[in-house]
Amino acid sequence: MQPLYKMFPQLEPALLQEIEANSILKTIPADEILIRTGQYIKSALLVVEGTLKIFRENEDGGEFLMYYLQPGEACAISLVCASKMEASKVMVKSVEESVIMMVPIQLMDQWMSKYKSWYYYVLETYRNRFEELLLLIDHIAFRNMDERLIFYLKRYSKAHKSNQINLSHQQIADELNSSREVISRLLKKLEQKKLLSLSRNTIELKDDFHKELMN
Amino acid sequence: MQPLYKMFPQLEPALLQEIEANSILKTIPADEILIRTGQYIKSALLVVEGTLKIFRENEDGGEFLMYYLQPGEACAISLVCASKMEASKVMVKSVEESVIMMVPIQLMDQWMSKYKSWYYYVLETYRNRFEELLLLIDHIAFRNMDERLIFYLKRYSKAHKSNQINLSHQQIADELNSSREVISRLLKKLEQKKLLSLSRNTIELKDDFHKELMN
DNA sequence: TAAAAAATGTGACAAATGTTACTTTAGTTC
DNA sequence: GAACTAAAGTAACATTTGTCACATTTTTTA
């Protein structure tokens, strides 16, 4: 595992020491749910390794993707909710084996005034998540499913650092709140345009794909 | 005007004094843009009177509504962006004559460690705005336009404390990123159901309307 | 008050997406 | 390898939303 100061270069050494001394490091297997909708949050989450997925569950169990969290990032929901012991409005799940750090709430409040770097880190986290949500809103409000699919695949590929996407069309449909048939149709079109190739449970993005639809 | 301590009961008296001494109170006429997309933010906004509207502008000038801000609330975007002198990603506009307080950034940072009540107020602001965005995402992701329209009208009515809505169908269409004809159609249906009555530039919500579609 | 402008109504149609009911294909298990 | 199962393909159709082209009504302005 990378040392913490490499993972969180923004944080001052004294703070990193406190973090190491006081928070619990946990290894999570892939596809485990860390936080459920309605659950009360007792500690803040920092991602050390792996990838977490933040999503909203709909009535039928569909997992509508909001965004991914990468090493060095913190779960904004947990930061906001933890300090007030509020119920989470979203689900958090590991998409691969991940290592997370759980910081007790009381310390967070202290650190806020004690460490300027923590204060800025938290603000930066809020800002980034806000922007992520704005981007998401833009997409679902202004774009059609074909563009949203491309955006989704790009994001997935980036979060998993791979051009190979191992998901069924059904899973993708769930995350975009669409239906399998629609996603299959759109993927076929992209395949015809030679932007990707399809096989069972895998989508292989070609180089041209990433040139498509900037932002 | 209401005294500040009534408007912001969460904030401790010493802080309120500092706010009064150091921030600029400004009266804004209706329909004035306070912050534009791309603009750098030099101070945080607190709403003292009136209503502000936070929206995203699309290519054609449509004003896609995100949420309203009421007296006692703060603009989360300004809180986040101000501390880093970042460019705003949204527009802020007064929907009626409003009074706002502009707090210089440097003070915000100081207050954060000096006044617990400020710290909690800011966190609470983030939390509320986050939830507002989540609700919005739920609506545009999971609901059809008819439900979104009802939700929109309810929110408008609540923000303006009136059952009379003075907007053209075109304006509503813009805020929902739809088209006038669609909104007219849906409004006609609601009129036929006797949930509201229509006339030029006004929609009058009837009592039954508010019973419709809880949440 | 006539003319212009803005808002709304309307019907026909197009496009995007969702749904249904299958078939086909690929992988897994017995 | 036969039987089963999950994933993907497909075609026909329904629904929702968007678009176009005008007509009608209401309000404003010259």
Side-chain angles (χ1 to χ4, degrees), chain A residues 56 66 80 83-84 86 89 109 112 119-120 123-124 126-127 131 134 137-138 140-142 177, chain B residues 56 66 80 83-84 86 89 109 112 119-120 123-124 126-127 131 134 137-138 140-142 177:
Chain A
R56 205 108 219 255
M66 298 187 26
V80 180
S83 65
K84 283 274 201 160
E86 292 279 348
K89 295 279 192 300
D109 278 18
M112 210 67 184
Y119 169 65
Y120 285 120
L123 277 193
E124 190 63 12
Y126 287 138
R127 207 172 60 76
E131 284 185 15
L134 285 182
I137 288 173
D138 272 9
I140 49 185
F142 300 139
N177 194 50
Chain B
R56 204 111 218 252
M66 299 188 25
V80 180
S83 67
K84 282 275 203 158
E86 291 279 348
K89 293 280 193 297
D109 278 17
M112 211 66 183
Y119 169 63
Y120 285 119
L123 276 193
E124 190 63 12
Y126 288 139
R127 208 173 58 78
E131 285 187 14
L134 285 181
I137 288 173
D138 273 10
I140 50 184
F142 301 138
N177 195 50

